[in-house]
Each structure stands twice: as structure tokens, then as C-alpha cells.
């Protein structure tokens, strides 16, 4: 004859496997990456003691203000992310939790990811140079541009590279700085025709820009809502989709006339 368990004993018996499962989940690595705001770099200045933009074959002009390329930092594909990390990331405004496969191709090692990001950075640099010189009506046969941004990889600095090249060669086109002396940050891929594309992680990048003193942020149009969610009210968010449109917005903002499309 089976004995009937008392209610407290029955509850304890049922809860034990759940507690054990939660304990295992707390220590087991999970398929997520945790990202947070990364460093920013003024592309008109230096990185690791070297100019970010080095131009030869044409005279360059001294620049004022800053054009800050922004980054995010994420746990690597080989890192162990646990339940406590995921919960902390979900409830923290300066962190984001994403499926690891959405950040890194499945199966890639840290070394393979670094190589992939460096290849994307090289392609982005070439496109940024071509887009900038084409905008200015100059030829890459006469002008050589070398770009470097330390160990940062990926294509998200493309727009800022193009703007930096233009500022160093031509400024705003009428003798002034493209930045108007401001600290301007931004993100966005760029192709050789000057089309600006989204990059992801914009809400965290806005936080990095604000932390480092930027007052204006250039946002790929498709990511305006993400930027607005985390940007302080004091930061001006400019919506961009092409290099030409970005140039027009910046010169209009500097002169205080014309249209400046905001998020």
C-alpha cells in the first residue's frame, strides 16, 4: 500500500529537480554574448601614436573639432557567458544581451572572427576612400590614403573615414571645418557610391559617444529609433543615408541654415 505524502513533503519533492536544474543553469555556459559601449577614436587625430588618416599626393588642411568613430565591446565567441551575466545584461542600460550566433558566425573561433573583422575593415576603408575622393572629384591615382584604427575591426567606421578624408582635404568646401569645431560622433557602413548602411549596436554606441563628449551623433536612418532610446536630450541625432546628404546636413548645421534631418 502506497503512503500518501504530506503537502510540504510533496512540494519539496517536486521542487528539488527544479532547484537542481536552476543550479546547473546558473553554472552552465549559455549561447549568448554580452555587449557594452566601447572606446571611441577621433579619426582626425591619432590611434596608437599614428595618424588614423594619412594622406599623400595632395595638400591637407589643419582641422579643428572631432569626428569620433564609436565601437561596442562584446564577449568573444569562446567566452563562457552564464545565467548571472545574462540577467545582469538584461537589466543594465549600458549592456545588451544578444544570441552569440547573431554576433559571431556559428563555429568561428576568436582568431577566425578577428581575421573576418579585419577583412571587413579593409573593405570598408577602401570603399570610404573611394566614396570621399569621388565626392570631391579627385582621383585615387593621384592621392593615396592610408587608414588605420588600431585593433578595431568591422565596417562600421566607413562613414566617419569618408568624412575625415573630406575634412582634411577640403573641409566644408568654403574654408571652414566640417565639424564646425564640435565633437561629432557617428557610425555607419559606406559603399563606394556613398550609400550609408546600418551597423547594429547603435544604442550602446550613442552611450559611448556621450561618455566621450560628443554633442552630435550621425545615425543611419534605419537605426534612428534605437539611437533615440538611449541618447540624452542634449545630444543632436542626425539621420543619414548617403555621404552627400551627410555633408549637406553638417554644412547646414555649421552655417545655421537649411535642413538638418534629425531622428
Amino acid at each position: 500500500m502506497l503512503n500518501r505524502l504530506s503537502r510540504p513533503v510533496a512540494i519539496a519533492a517536486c521542487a528539488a529537480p527544479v532547484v537542481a536544474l536552476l543550479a546547473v543553469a546558473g553554472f552552465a555556459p549559455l549561447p549568448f554574448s554580452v555587449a557594452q559601449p566601447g572606446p571611441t577614436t577621433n579619426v582626425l587625430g591619432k590611434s596608437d601614436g599614428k595618424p588614423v588618416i594619412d594622406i599623400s599626393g595632395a595638400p591637407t588642411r589643419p582641422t579643428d573639432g572631432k569626428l569620433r568613430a564609436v565601437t561596442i565591446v562584446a564577449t568573444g565567441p569562446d567566452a563562457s557567458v552564464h545565467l548571472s551575466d545574462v540577467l545582469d545584461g538584461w537589466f543594465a542600460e549600458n549592456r545588451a544581451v544578444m544570441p552569440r550566433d547573431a554576433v559571431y558566425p556559428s563555429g568561428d573561433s576568436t582568431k577566425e572572427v578577428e581575421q573576418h573583422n579585419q577583412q571587413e575593415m579593409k573593405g570598408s576603408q577602401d570603399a570610404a576612400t573611394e566614396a570621399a575622393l569621388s565626392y570631391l572629384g579627385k582621383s585615387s591615382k593621384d592621392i593615396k590614403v592610408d587608414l588605420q584604427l588600431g585593433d578595431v575591426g568591422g565596417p562600421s567606421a566607413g562613414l566617419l573615414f569618408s568624412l575625415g578624408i573630406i575634412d582634411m582635404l577640403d573641409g566644408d568646401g568654403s574654408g571652414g571645418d566640417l565639424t564646425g569645431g564640435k565633437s561629432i560622433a557617428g557610425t555607419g557602413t559606406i559603399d563606394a557610391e556613398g550609400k550609408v548602411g546600418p551597423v547594429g549596436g547603435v544604442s550602446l554606441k550613442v552611450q559611448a559617444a556621450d561618455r566621450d563628449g560628443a554633442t552630435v551623433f550621425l545615425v543611419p536612418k534605419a537605426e534612428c529609433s534605437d539611437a533615440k532610446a538611449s541618447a540624452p536630450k542634449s545630444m543632436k541625432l542626425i539621420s543619414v543615408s548617403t555621404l552627400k546628404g551627410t555633408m549637406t546636413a553638417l554644412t547646414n548645421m555649421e552655417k545655421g541654415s537649411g535642413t538638418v534631418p534629425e531622428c
Side-chain angles (χ1 to χ4, degrees):
M1 182 176 180
L2 295 176
N3 293 325
R4 179 175 295 178
L5 296 177
S6 66
R7 182 177 178 82
V9 173
I11 292 175
C14 293
V18 176
V19 172
L21 181 61
L22 290 174
V24 171
F27 292 100
L30 301 173
F32 294 100
S33 285
V34 181
Q36 61 187 26
T40 71
T41 303
N42 176 23
V43 300
L44 298 174
K46 294 183 177 182
S47 174
D48 296 335
K50 299 178 181 179
V52 176
I53 302 175
D54 187 25
I55 299 174
S56 57
T60 58
R61 55 184 298 279
T63 59
D64 194 10
K66 295 178 175 64
L67 286 170
R68 289 197 170 277
V70 293
T71 64
I72 60 173
V73 178
T75 52
D78 299 331
S80 294
V81 175
H82 299 93
L83 181 61
S84 59
D85 302 312
V86 172
L87 293 176
D88 286 345
W90 271 334
F91 291 105
E93 292 183 359
N94 64 342
R95 290 193 292 279
V97 178
M98 297 170 283
R100 185 176 297 164
D101 289 350
V103 181
Y104 305 106
S106 181
D108 281 358
S109 66
T110 297
K111 184 176 181 179
E112 289 171 331
V113 168
E114 289 175 350
Q115 291 174 341
H116 174 73
N117 284 344
Q118 288 303 316
Q119 289 173 352
E120 283 202 319
M121 171 63 87
K122 181 60 170 62
S124 173
Q125 292 173 340
D126 292 343
T129 299
E130 187 172 345
L133 295 181
S134 177
Y135 175 84
L136 294 173
K138 299 181 182 295
S139 172
S140 58
K141 294 180 180 179
D142 303 316
I143 300 174
K144 183 179 180 182
V145 180
D146 289 320
L147 304 169
Q148 69 89 26
L149 201 56
D151 59 357
V152 175
S156 65
L159 172 61
L160 272 292
F161 279 142
S162 288
L163 295 175
I165 294 168
I166 293 171
D167 201 16
M168 292 177 67
L169 287 172
D170 195 52
D172 63 0
S174 57
D177 290 298
L178 186 57
T179 63
K182 297 181 177 66
S183 179
I184 296 174
T187 191
T189 63
I190 197 163
D191 63 19
E193 286 72 43
K195 182 179 179 180
V196 176
V199 292
V202 168
S203 62
L204 298 177
K205 291 179 177 180
V206 166
Q207 294 179 42
D210 180 52
R211 178 200 63 208
D212 290 355
T215 57
V216 178
F217 196 94
L218 306 174
V219 188
K221 186 176 181 179
E223 296 177 301
C224 269
S225 60
D226 290 340
K228 290 174 68 175
S230 61
K233 292 182 179 179
S234 58
M235 180 174 283
K236 190 180 188 72
L237 300 177
I238 299 180
S239 172
V240 298
S241 55
T242 65
L243 178 58
K244 183 177 179 180
T246 305
M247 289 293 299
T248 299
L250 290 176
T251 53
N252 284 350
M253 181 176 66
E254 179 196 355
K255 296 173 182 177
S257 63
T259 302
V260 179
E262 296 188 42
C263 289

